[in-house]
Amino acid sequence: MISFNKRVARILEDAGTVAVEPLQEALKKADSGSRPLSSILVEQKLVDEGTLLGILAEHTRVPPINLEHVTSDPEVLESLPQELAFDYGVYPVSRIGSVLTIALTNPYDVVKLDDVRIVTGCELRLVLTLEEHLKRALDKGYKAGQREVDQILGSMEDGDIELKEAHSDDLESLDLDALADHEGSPVIKFVNMVIYQAAKERASDIHIEPFERRVIVRFRKDGVMRQVFEPPRRMLNAIVSRIKVVSSMDIAERRKPQDGKFQMRIDGRQVDFRVSILPMVHGEKVVLRLLDATNLQLDLASLGFEEQALEDFRHAIAQPYGMILVTGPTGSGKSTTLYSAVKEMLSEEENFVTVEDPVEYQLDGVNQVQVQTKRGLTFASALRAILRQDPDKILLGEIRDKETIDIAIKAALTGHLVLSTLHTNDAPSTISRMADMGVDPFMIASATLLVSAQRLCRRLCKHCREPIDRPSPERLIEIGFLEDDTGADLQLYTARGCPKCSNGYSGRFAILETLPMTEDIRRIVIDGGSAAEIKDRALDNEMLTLRRCGLRSAAAGKTSVEEVLRVTLHDKRGRAKDNA
């Protein structure tokens, strides 16, 4: 600070803007109080802000900016951690691709700039501002949400932290807009505000995470997490208790995981919440999944599948019996795909029954069963009962154990079409997974119609996507493009960022890897072949892998190569092929 103040003093002295004597007095006052000289000069009206900023910008050759009229996107602010922004005195203004524009008061501190460059992984574009403007921008940008939290908690005393009349605070089926004006507990207001904000931003999940000295609230939107609030650590138990109340959980139980659900009406639409509470080292972590039926597009054609994958999937669901599996990690869109398939297959002439845990969306014309393990209604027991209900098609929410998959395969072999999910990385490894669960390979080969793997890719914003120079053919082939794909007409795009999107992306679409059970694949399965052997044969049969589907979408301008590399693995041949 002292060094920079002296530099500012020399610039102003050379410019003749401020007389030498008052300038030196202001410099002494700034140095003694460890304050910026610019603040002292403006405070004493020795120079106005505009003139001062103009002189400094001209001398440093860094363009000036008026931060009073700047509102940075939350994703841009996340490029630089809050602690670093305050400590180093820099404010993220905007981000275009890998170029981050930051406002600062001291462009000469190259060490700090190098640190910012390393932390953000971006090239920096500098703009100049004054200290007071910078402080207000940092408070406005980083602490806007926190200030709202502080206002809600302002009247809260230590005794307010425990909920006492839990039975009177049931939020189910109530209107959140009305609750926002409720003059009740600050804890209730805070929880309502978090839920309302998440629903407004179309977030898919809310994470409330306890650490040793703090609690953070993060939202997941389009598959990416970002921190939103940081309530006081002492408020954690009250927040968790409030959520347990509305989710019909045991408030006194803090040592075991719990699951629950509730509904809210937000901005005129009903949103379902699935709640999971898990004891951690420093308290209970809460995850709320938002299920908004208004966002659900039950149409296979609208999910974004490649034409070949869509054709394979539709051919499988058109069969009278057999088993179809959709695999992938949690949050990869498996349930949406299955619901879309159900809607496409639904007919008044057939009996369609589902077994789910939980029933995420209610479908008219479909008989849906909710698993209740505590009452003995498991996937396996429900599936046995369903088979006595004369079903034509069955949707099994998830296959979790050998008993369930045995019944599912027998159902598929006795004239029923069975759809279900498994947690595996890709389609070929699903076959090995079923064998590992103890299913006879002949039964797998006979019952299975199609195995698919799914991921979700973020969609590039059409308003700001930016074309990039085409990489070398060698690099394109290295990441998974075929030689035929690397022609001169290939145009790839990258994320840029604008007010209409989230850091260059807007929404998501699905990519699907499909593995039909052809005769040659069936022979490998019966012979006990490995996942690598199955994958090699499928690649010989021109199977579109997740990576290939993603790269095709990148070539079509739907997403970026960086996004494809983030969500998919490289297509490597198995050992059997490598040793041939």
Side-chain angles (χ1 to χ4, degrees):
M1 178 71 73
I2 294 176
S3 175
F4 183 60
N5 280 342
K6 290 180 178 179
R7 189 186 292 264
V8 172
R10 286 198 301 270
I11 293 173
L12 294 175
E13 187 176 341
D14 293 341
T17 307
V18 183
V20 175
E21 185 175 343
L23 180 60
Q24 292 303 317
E25 290 180 2
L27 179 60
K28 289 179 182 179
K29 185 176 180 179
D31 290 346
S32 62
S34 296
R35 293 182 59 192
L37 175 60
S38 59
S39 298
I40 301 294
L41 295 173
V42 172
E43 185 179 288
Q44 296 182 350
K45 298 183 179 180
L46 296 174
V47 63
D48 64 84
E49 290 182 341
T51 301
L52 177 59
L53 184 58
I55 292 172
L56 295 177
E58 182 179 3
H59 191 275
T60 60
R61 296 185 179 179
V62 175
I65 188 172
N66 186 352
L67 290 180
E68 299 294 314
H69 304 297
V70 172
T71 301
S72 295
D73 191 90
E75 284 76 12
V76 175
L77 294 174
E78 284 185 4
S79 301
L80 191 64
Q82 177 176 330
E83 295 80 5
L84 193 66
F86 277 84
D87 289 345
Y88 280 15
V90 294
Y91 178 77
V93 176
S94 65
R95 180 173 177 174
I96 300 176
S98 61
V99 179
L100 179 66
T101 300
I102 60 171
L104 74 177
T105 60
N106 182 5
Y108 299 108
D109 197 336
V110 294
V111 176
K112 287 185 178 180
L113 292 177
D114 285 341
D115 288 347
V116 173
R117 190 176 290 108
I118 291 171
V119 170
T120 61
C122 296
E123 291 298 318
L124 302 182
R125 177 175 176 267
L126 308 183
V127 290
L128 194 67
T129 187
L130 298 179
E131 187 72 24
E132 296 305 316
H133 292 186
L134 179 67
K135 287 181 178 179
R136 286 197 292 269
L138 287 170
D139 287 339
K140 176 184 175 182
Y142 282 100
K143 295 185 176 181
Q146 192 62 43
R147 191 183 305 113
E148 189 173 355
V149 173
D150 293 339
Q151 290 174 353
I152 289 177
L153 304 179
S155 61
M156 187 171 68
E157 304 293 338
D158 290 340
D160 293 332
I161 299 182
E162 294 298 330
L163 296 174
K164 298 180 180 176
E165 297 184 9
H167 62 277
S168 66
D169 294 325
D170 186 4
L171 287 183
E172 185 167 355
S173 299
L174 294 181
D175 193 316
L176 189 63
D177 296 335
L179 285 167
D181 298 327
H182 183 58
E183 295 295 327
S185 165
V187 176
I188 297 176
K189 289 184 179 181
F190 174 76
V191 173
N192 291 344
M193 183 189 68
V194 169
I195 290 173
Y196 182 81
Q197 188 66 27
K200 182 179 178 182
E201 294 185 16
R202 303 284 183 177
S204 61
D205 300 89
I206 303 170
H207 291 243
I208 302 173
E209 302 170 317
F211 297 97
E212 183 177 7
R213 299 171 186 233
R214 63 186 185 132
V215 175
I216 64 173
V217 179
R218 297 196 293 170
F219 293 168
R220 184 186 295 278
K221 182 180 179 182
D222 291 340
V224 178
M225 302 274 285
R226 73 176 181 89
Q227 182 175 334
V228 184
F229 302 114
E230 189 170 331
R233 179 68 176 77
R234 66 191 178 99
M235 193 179 173
L236 173 63
N237 289 341
I239 294 174
V240 175
S241 295
R242 172 60 183 168
I243 294 172
K244 285 180 179 179
V245 167
V246 300
S247 307
S248 302
M249 297 183 189
D250 184 357
I251 298 179
E253 181 57 72
R254 295 185 178 180
R255 299 181 180 180
K256 296 180 181 179
Q258 295 191 67
D259 295 310
K261 62 181 180 179
F262 63 94
Q263 293 179 342
M264 279 187 173
R265 184 166 295 280
I266 302 174
D267 288 339
R269 68 183 195 274
Q270 184 166 295
V271 181
D272 292 335
F273 293 82
R274 299 290 180 262
V275 185
S276 173
I277 296 182
L278 180 66
M280 310 293 284
V281 175
H282 299 294
E284 293 175 285
K285 175 180 177 179
V286 182
V287 177
L288 298 91
R289 169 160 288 188
L290 284 71
L291 303 172
D292 187 353
T294 60
N295 289 338
L296 188 64
Q297 295 183 351
L298 297 181
D299 181 10
L300 285 174
S302 68
L303 298 181
F305 297 152
E306 284 293 314
E307 185 176 347
Q308 177 181 325
L310 181 59
E311 183 179 336
D312 287 342
F313 197 83
R314 278 181 164 159
H315 180 266
I317 64 175
Q319 303 308 305
Y321 58 86
M323 184 165 67
I324 301 168
L325 294 175
V326 181
T327 70
T330 301
S332 59
K334 302 187 298 296
S335 295
T336 300
T337 297
L338 289 177
Y339 279 127
S340 300
V342 169
K343 184 177 179 182
E344 190 156 311
M345 292 185 292
L346 196 58
S347 167
E348 294 182 357
E349 300 174 354
E350 294 180 319
N351 178 18
F352 211 126
V353 187
T354 75
V355 185
E356 304 169 67
D357 185 22
V359 175
E360 295 187 3
Y361 299 103
Q362 297 182 16
L363 302 175
D364 187 40
V366 180
N367 302 288
Q368 296 175 272
V369 178
Q370 167 72 55
V371 168
Q372 299 183 42
T373 306
K374 293 181 180 179
R375 300 181 181 179
L377 185 59
T378 63
F379 276 106
S381 62
L383 187 51
R384 284 197 194 93
I386 284 174
L387 293 176
R388 296 192 289 270
Q389 292 274 315
D390 186 32
D392 295 295
K393 294 180 172 64
I394 301 169
L395 169 61
L396 194 58
E398 183 181 349
I399 293 176
R400 299 178 179 176
D401 50 48
K402 184 178 185 302
E403 183 182 13
T404 304
I405 195 171
D406 282 341
I407 302 171
I409 285 181
K410 289 176 182 176
L413 290 173
T414 54
H416 305 90
L417 186 66
V418 180
L419 294 86
S420 190
T421 69
L422 266 177
H423 290 285
T424 55
N425 290 327
D426 58 18
S429 63
T430 305
I431 305 296
S432 298
R433 169 68 177 143
M434 288 192 285
D436 291 341
M437 295 175 72
V439 182
D440 183 88
F442 179 79
M443 300 286 281
I444 297 174
S446 301
T448 307
L449 290 171
L450 176 80
V451 180
S452 59
Q454 182 168 313
R455 297 292 187 277
L456 293 179
C457 276
R458 290 182 293 172
R459 190 186 299 272
L460 281 172
C461 174
K462 294 181 179 180
H463 300 282
C464 67
R465 67 178 185 176
E466 195 170 70
I468 62 173
D469 294 335
R470 189 163 57 92
S472 67
E474 293 77 17
R475 174 56 182 159
L476 292 172
I477 292 173
E478 179 185 347
I479 63 177
F481 280 99
L482 298 182
E483 190 172 347
D484 293 342
D485 300 332
T486 61
D489 58 341
L490 175 64
Q491 178 61 68
L492 301 175
Y493 296 85
T494 190
R496 176 184 169 187
C498 70
K500 296 184 178 181
C501 66
S502 298
N503 207 22
Y505 296 96
S506 179
R508 291 189 289 177
F509 66 95
I511 54 176
L512 192 73
E513 170 183 296
T514 53
L515 175 62
M517 190 61 68
T518 58
E519 286 301 321
D520 50 352
I521 297 293
R522 185 173 283 113
R523 282 195 296 270
I524 295 176
V525 174
I526 294 174
D527 292 340
S530 66
E533 292 174 312
I534 296 172
K535 184 169 185 176
D536 286 344
R537 182 57 58 86
L539 290 173
D540 290 339
N541 292 343
E542 299 183 348
M543 176 183 76
L544 279 182
T545 63
L546 288 168
R547 173 61 64 87
R548 289 277 298 125
C549 288
L551 292 177
R552 281 193 172 189
S553 297
K558 290 170 62 177
T559 189
S560 65
V561 171
E562 294 85 359
E563 176 69 5
V564 175
L565 299 181
R566 184 181 72 88
V567 300
T568 65
L569 294 174
H570 195 279
D571 298 327
K572 293 183 179 179
R573 289 273 181 171
R575 292 181 180 178
K577 194 73 179 177
D578 293 338
N579 296 335

